[in-house]
Amino acid sequence: MSDKKYIGYVGSYTHGKASALGKSYLNTTNAQRLNAVNEVFVNKGTTLLLSFAPCDIKQFTESSIKNADLFSQNCANLLDFPVISNPATYFLEEQYMFNSAWHPTYYGANIRTVELSIDILRYFDLHKDSFLPIETRKQYNATEYPEEF
């Protein structure tokens, strides 16, 4: 399937044409904007977390896959909020991609959801003592909470 072409919002590419993950695509200007959004969230008593999108593993070179930790760390160094995932976790095989390198099939989306859930739960487990009490969180939420969970 190496000749399979996808057309999507990210442009056109052919499976098997690898690119480097390289330095963080998150530049200083965008990091400042995201940090400003994070400040709004913090002021409302919430926590913003960063994860990564699912992607066709064949889009990346072997060396860039090995450098996924560095890529994640570069993002973490620029942001004032936690990066909870490693991008390599979300690199999926071609069979789980639909019509672009970034668009998973139903099964690919399920895999991504499970992995993201694990990352979020790991974050919650590590930071369970730092969350605001439920009464404080309620005042920032438009929906009602049940009395018992």
Side-chain angles (χ1 to χ4, degrees):
M1 293 191 117
S2 64
D3 62 347
K4 187 173 184 181
K5 279 210 174 249
Y6 290 135
I7 307 292
Y9 78 94
V10 294
S12 173
Y13 87 103
T14 302
H15 267 294
K17 182 180 179 188
S19 61
L21 192 54
K23 288 186 175 181
S24 174
Y25 292 108
L26 182 64
N27 63 37
T28 306
T29 302
N30 289 335
Q32 289 171 345
R33 290 176 180 152
L34 287 170
N35 288 332
V37 169
N38 179 57
E39 189 174 331
V40 171
F41 280 97
V42 168
N43 289 336
K44 291 190 176 269
T46 61
T47 302
L48 184 63
L49 305 173
L50 178 73
S51 185
F52 298 94
C55 183
D56 185 343
I57 194 168
K58 290 184 180 178
Q59 181 172 353
F60 298 102
T61 62
E62 187 175 324
S63 63
S64 69
I65 292 170
K66 290 178 182 175
N67 289 325
D69 287 334
L70 179 61
F71 176 78
S72 183
Q73 188 60 50
N74 287 340
C75 291
N77 290 341
L78 290 170
L79 298 171
D80 295 337
F81 52 93
V83 176
I84 63 167
S85 303
N86 181 310
T89 302
Y90 301 103
F91 292 166
L92 303 177
E93 296 295 330
E94 176 183 3
Q95 69 204 36
Y96 299 112
M97 303 312 294
F98 181 57
N99 62 354
S100 82
W102 305 95
H103 188 186
T105 63
Y106 173 82
Y107 297 106
N110 284 339
I111 292 168
R112 200 277 178 164
T113 299
V114 168
E115 295 295 343
L116 180 59
S117 298
I118 291 167
D119 290 340
I120 292 170
L121 289 170
R122 182 184 313 114
Y123 177 82
F124 283 160
D125 189 49
L126 293 172
H127 298 88
K128 59 187 165 210
D129 296 329
S130 64
F131 291 110
L132 291 173
I134 192 157
E135 290 305 318
T136 304
R137 292 195 315 259
K138 281 183 185 180
Q139 70 185 358
Y140 297 116
N141 194 322
T143 61
E144 291 190 22
Y145 286 85
E147 291 304 315
E148 293 185 25
F149 293 95

